[in-house]
């Protein structure tokens, strides 16, 4: 009878110990589940923040690409305008040179090949001024006769 009371006491103690351990394990499990839920919520918030940042960056990229297209168009316009202006300047220089050569031929003088367009224009201006004075003087002499 002594053995059975000891066995029963040991079984009750073991059983109580197992119940206590089960309760501790259940508490730990609940804490871990709560920690997991909190962790998952934080990570979901992080993912939403990253998605928002990604959307903002995509919008900025689209704006930058749109701006780049606009400025490429402006740059193309500038280059085309510069090309037209360069062509026009070349035509003006050629016309100036041709007029300069005609004046030199008329005056029977030899042109200096190193003269710049500006120097050629100055000589053309002098020639036109001199020719205008000659015409005016000739007109005055005709009127006095």
């Amino acid at each position: 009878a002594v053995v059975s009371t000891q066995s029963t006491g040991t079984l009750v103690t073991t059983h109580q110990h197992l119940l206590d351990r089960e309760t501790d394990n259940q508490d730990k499990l609940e804490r871990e589940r709560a920690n997991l839920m909190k962790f998952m919520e934080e990570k979901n918030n992080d993912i939403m923040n990253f998605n928002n940042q990604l959307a903002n960056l995509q919008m900025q990229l689209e704006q930058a690409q749109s701006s780049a297209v606009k400025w490429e168009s402006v740059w193309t316009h500038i280059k085309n305008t510069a090309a037209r202006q360069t062509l026009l300047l070349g035509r003006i220089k050629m016309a100036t040179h041709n007029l300069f050569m005609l004046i030199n031929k008329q005056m029977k003088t030899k042109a200096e090949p190193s003269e710049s367009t500006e120097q050629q224009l100055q000589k053309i201006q002098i020639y036109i001024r001199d020719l205008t004075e000659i015409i005016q003087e000739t007109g005055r002499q005709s009127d006095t006769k």
Side-chain angles (χ1 to χ4, degrees):
V2 175
V3 173
S4 73
T5 308
Q6 259 183 353
S7 290
T8 308
T10 304
L11 284 177
V12 169
T13 304
T14 303
H15 179 65
Q16 186 60 42
H17 178 69
L18 287 174
L19 286 175
D20 290 345
R21 262 178 80 188
E22 178 65 21
T23 304
D24 286 346
N25 285 339
Q26 286 297 326
D27 289 345
K28 285 180 186 177
L29 182 61
E30 287 301 316
R31 282 194 304 274
E32 290 302 317
R33 278 188 184 144
N35 287 339
L36 177 62
M37 293 302 288
K38 182 179 176 186
F39 175 80
M40 288 178 64
E41 188 176 322
E42 288 173 358
K43 293 308 165 191
N44 283 335
N45 287 339
D46 289 346
I47 289 171
M48 285 192 324
N49 287 335
F50 289 137
N51 283 336
N52 287 339
Q53 288 177 356
L54 179 61
N56 287 334
L57 290 172
Q58 285 174 332
M59 186 175 65
Q60 289 175 6
L61 174 63
E62 289 170 5
Q63 289 172 345
Q65 287 172 334
S66 175
S67 181
V69 168
K70 174 190 166 211
W71 288 110
E72 285 173 5
S73 173
V74 168
W75 176 242
T76 300
H77 176 71
I78 290 169
K79 289 192 299 187
N80 289 339
T81 301
R84 282 193 306 274
Q85 295 296 324
T86 301
L87 182 61
L88 179 61
L89 180 60
R91 288 178 181 162
I92 291 170
K93 284 183 173 186
M94 200 177 336
T96 302
H97 181 72
N98 289 340
L99 187 55
F100 177 73
M101 295 305 288
L102 282 173
I103 289 172
N104 282 322
K105 184 177 179 184
Q106 181 69 30
M107 295 175 58
K108 296 181 174 127
T109 59
K110 187 175 181 191
E112 296 178 31
S114 65
E115 293 188 62
S116 70
T117 303
E118 187 177 337
Q119 291 170 328
Q120 291 174 2
L121 284 170
Q122 287 172 353
K123 287 188 178 183
I124 291 169
Q125 184 179 23
I126 292 169
Y127 178 80
I128 290 172
R129 192 179 313 129
D130 290 348
L131 187 60
T132 302
E133 287 176 10
I134 291 171
I135 291 171
Q136 288 174 350
E137 186 64 33
T138 305
R140 277 188 240 134
Q141 286 177 0
S142 302
D143 289 345
T144 57
K145 287 184 181 182

